[in-house]
Amino acid sequence: PIFGYGVELPMHPQFIIMPELLWMTKGAVVRNPAQLTRSKTALRYLELPVMVKISTDAKPGGLFLTVGPSIGYFVTGRSRTWYNGEIQSDVKYDLPPNDPRFQFSAAVGLGTDMKRTSFEARAQTSLTPFSRAFLTQNIVYQFTVGWRILPKEKPVKKEDEE
């Protein structure tokens, strides 16, 4: 799961800078039916993407493209293994001392937005390896639903007709 908060900073009606602060789970699930095993690794990150949003329309309702870098900080992780449906191990994952806690990534997305909501499909890949020993990388595919908190509209003053 991914939870977070983002802000849209318009530079132009169709060009927006979007810094976000996200709590993101990365990891893997591996199933081996022949050996009756399954393993799941969940790695929790605090992510700070800074996306550029380019819209096809100046008003909500059109498509948009997002692209940008992200920096993630590894917070915690867990690795579990099952054999024949029964859990065999449940281990808190700690990074080895020589593996970095920070991870740099690049992301690209496509979405649509309305006045209060937005929907986006985004892909993210790490540019730095998660583990120096195995040279593994994290790849995340996400679908996000955003809800905008709009400022209160100021009442329009009506001029008295004479």
Side-chain angles (χ1 to χ4, degrees):
I2 299 171
F3 302 97
Y5 182 78
V7 177
E8 292 187 352
L9 306 171
M11 302 291 134
H12 177 275
Q14 292 175 268
F15 185 85
I16 297 168
I17 305 293
M18 293 187 346
E20 301 171 341
L21 182 60
L22 306 173
W23 177 259
M24 183 180 290
T25 301
K26 302 177 184 182
V29 174
V30 178
R31 291 182 180 94
N32 188 335
Q35 294 183 354
L36 303 173
T37 61
R38 179 171 65 105
S39 65
K40 179 180 180 182
T41 303
L43 309 170
R44 309 266 193 296
Y45 280 84
L46 196 57
E47 289 275 330
L48 181 64
V50 180
M51 306 298 287
V52 172
K53 179 179 175 182
I54 302 165
S55 298
T56 58
D57 195 349
K59 296 180 182 176
L63 292 175
F64 63 82
L65 173 73
T66 57
V67 63
S70 181
I71 184 169
Y73 180 78
F74 175 80
V75 179
T76 185
R78 181 167 298 293
S79 181
R80 297 180 193 156
T81 305
W82 291 264
Y83 174 74
N84 201 20
E86 292 185 26
I87 193 152
Q88 299 297 304
S89 68
D90 186 354
V91 180
K92 181 180 177 189
Y93 186 84
D94 288 321
L95 281 178
N98 54 341
D99 281 346
R101 291 189 90 76
F102 286 98
Q103 188 172 58
F104 296 96
S105 302
V108 63
L110 182 66
T112 184
D113 56 5
M114 286 133 244
K115 184 175 181 178
R116 283 206 168 267
T117 56
S118 68
F119 303 93
E120 180 185 7
R122 188 184 292 180
Q124 175 181 327
T125 183
S126 58
L127 302 173
T128 53
F130 169 71
S131 169
R132 289 188 177 136
F134 300 111
L135 296 178
T136 55
Q137 291 183 282
N138 286 315
I139 298 173
V140 176
Y141 299 103
Q142 65 191 51
F143 180 75
T144 58
V145 177
W147 181 261
R148 285 189 181 81
I149 300 171
L150 299 174
K152 290 184 180 179
E153 293 183 17
K154 297 178 182 176
V156 178
K157 293 182 181 179
K158 295 181 182 179
E159 293 183 28
D160 293 335
E161 295 180 358
E162 293 181 24

